[in-house]
Amino acid sequence: MSNLTFTGTVNKLKEVQVISDKFRKQEIILTDNHEKYPKFINFEATNDNCDLLAGIKEGQEVEVNFNLEGRLWTNPKTNEERCFNTLRIWRISVKGSNSAPAETKPNVTSDLPF
């Protein structure tokens, strides 16, 4: 599923984790601010999209556009199969801000000489 949107308040912005020289990720936890039963939702940015979170601060209200991704994993010891889901950010904007939202730029190459 792609192009989903969620608006909430930044509860926690975690440090960038460098997994390898070709992969890094950063997690951000948002809350929906429901008075009685708030929900805490974990989103993830990977590689170049970690840069989208550079100006984001805890306590800000943001809107994120994200893709819902999932994968299956089989435990090699028990042969039990599990499904993992990830909410992968591709755009984020601070609510009430006049600046344009941070968004992944398509990797387009051109053969034009100018």
Side-chain angles (χ1 to χ4, degrees), residues 7-78:
T7 301
T9 301
V10 179
N11 178 269
K12 179 81 173 169
L13 181 63
K14 297 185 178 181
E15 296 292 320
V16 175
Q17 299 174 27
V18 178
I19 309 301
S20 72
D21 60 342
K22 295 182 180 182
F23 184 73
R24 63 187 172 120
K25 71 176 187 174
Q26 186 173 13
E27 295 178 337
I28 183 171
I29 299 172
L30 303 181
T31 181
D32 66 353
N33 295 324
H34 187 278
E35 285 184 28
K36 192 169 183 180
Y37 302 107
K39 304 293 185 276
F40 295 86
I41 316 236
N42 188 63
F43 293 87
E44 180 180 280
T46 57
N47 293 329
D48 289 345
N49 284 348
C50 291
D51 299 337
L52 300 176
L53 303 178
I56 304 299
K57 297 178 180 31
E58 291 179 8
Q60 289 180 315
E61 186 178 6
V62 296
E63 179 179 274
V64 294
N65 292 84
F66 63 97
N67 294 334
L68 173 60
E69 299 177 4
R71 66 180 179 87
L72 292 176
W73 174 77
T74 304
N75 184 326
K77 294 180 181 177
T78 64

